[in-house]
Amino acid sequence: MTAEGQAPQVPVLNIANVLTMSRLLLVPVFLVALFWADGHDTVWRWIATGVFVLASVTDRVDGEVARRRGLVTDFGKIADPIADKALTGAALVGLSMLGDLWWWATWVIIVRELGVTLLRFWVIRHGVIAASHGGKIKTLLQAIAIGLYLMPLGSWADIPRWVVLGAALIATVVTGLDYVIRALRMRAAGGAR
């Protein structure tokens, strides 16, 4: 506590936010690797997969570091979901452009992610809609599905890809509906004050 009885200010430049920004900076690196050599070169697909996995791991680590070390900032609250959506969106659109993933699946996920972001801004003066347990499962399933589609495993991996993608899509829609309900309740409670 400071002399005025307030909590000390957390610096914006901290390890958690650096990890978040590194994830954002890895998005163009990922895209270059994904599209190199017409997007279907085995070596470059493994490189793209590695960059995607590295960026996805920073998502997990930055949140834990921020909470454990008391480094949560307003900048991080905004930058973290932007970095997540940039990475996921880039991967989904890239895979669809290469013909490896159905466009409708990409649009279901992107529309849900944009919708939840808009909902968060819609209710921000009434409070923050925290990530739910289901939302974390959704993020994990999406990352695994994208990873499976990125890896040049051949047609034998089609069924595991479809199963994980199906689970990710179900979690995406269900958690999206949950966010809508939570946002409406938050707005209603805020308006009743």
Side-chain angles (χ1 to χ4, degrees), residues 118-127 129 179-193:
L118 292 174
L119 280 173
R120 284 184 162 146
F121 283 117
W122 186 55
V123 300
I124 199 156
R125 69 175 184 202
H126 301 288
I129 302 176
Y179 275 100
V180 169
I181 292 166
R182 290 164 63 193
L184 291 172
R185 286 181 181 159
M186 189 175 284
R187 285 286 294 216
R193 290 182 191 160

Side-chain angles (χ1 to χ4, degrees), residues 34-52:
L34 179 61
F35 283 100
W36 200 266
D38 296 326
H40 291 101
D41 179 81
T42 302
V43 171
W44 282 100
R45 283 300 279 263
W46 281 115
I47 292 169
T49 303
V51 173
F52 180 81

Side-chain angles (χ1 to χ4, degrees), residues 57-192:
V57 167
T58 67
D59 178 35
R60 181 73 177 177
V61 172
D62 66 2
E64 287 182 20
V65 167
R67 285 185 294 278
R68 206 173 320 130
R69 295 187 180 181
L71 299 175
V72 176
T73 63
D74 288 339
F75 172 82
K77 289 176 188 175
I78 294 169
D80 184 64
I82 289 171
D84 297 345
K85 285 163 186 43
L87 178 64
T88 302
L92 292 167
V93 170
L95 287 165
S96 292
M97 288 176 69
L98 291 170
D100 296 336
L101 181 64
W102 304 290
W103 275 106
W104 67 265
T106 292
W107 285 117
V108 165
I109 293 171
I110 287 176
V111 167
R112 183 268 189 205
E113 297 301 333
L114 290 175
V116 167
T117 300
L118 292 174
L119 280 173
R120 284 184 162 146
F121 283 117
W122 186 55
V123 300
I124 199 156
R125 69 175 184 202
H126 301 288
V128 174
I129 302 176
S132 65
H133 183 65
K136 292 175 183 178
I137 292 171
K138 178 266 316 173
T139 300
L140 178 62
L141 287 170
Q142 285 179 1
I144 293 169
I146 290 168
L148 287 171
Y149 276 90
L150 285 171
M151 290 187 276
L153 299 175
S155 60
W156 69 266
D158 284 347
I159 291 176
R161 287 176 179 137
W162 298 336
V163 168
V164 177
L165 179 64
L169 288 168
I170 290 168
T172 296
V173 171
V174 169
T175 58
L177 293 172
D178 176 57
Y179 275 100
V180 169
I181 292 166
R182 290 164 63 193
L184 291 172
R185 286 181 181 159
M186 189 175 284
R187 285 286 294 216

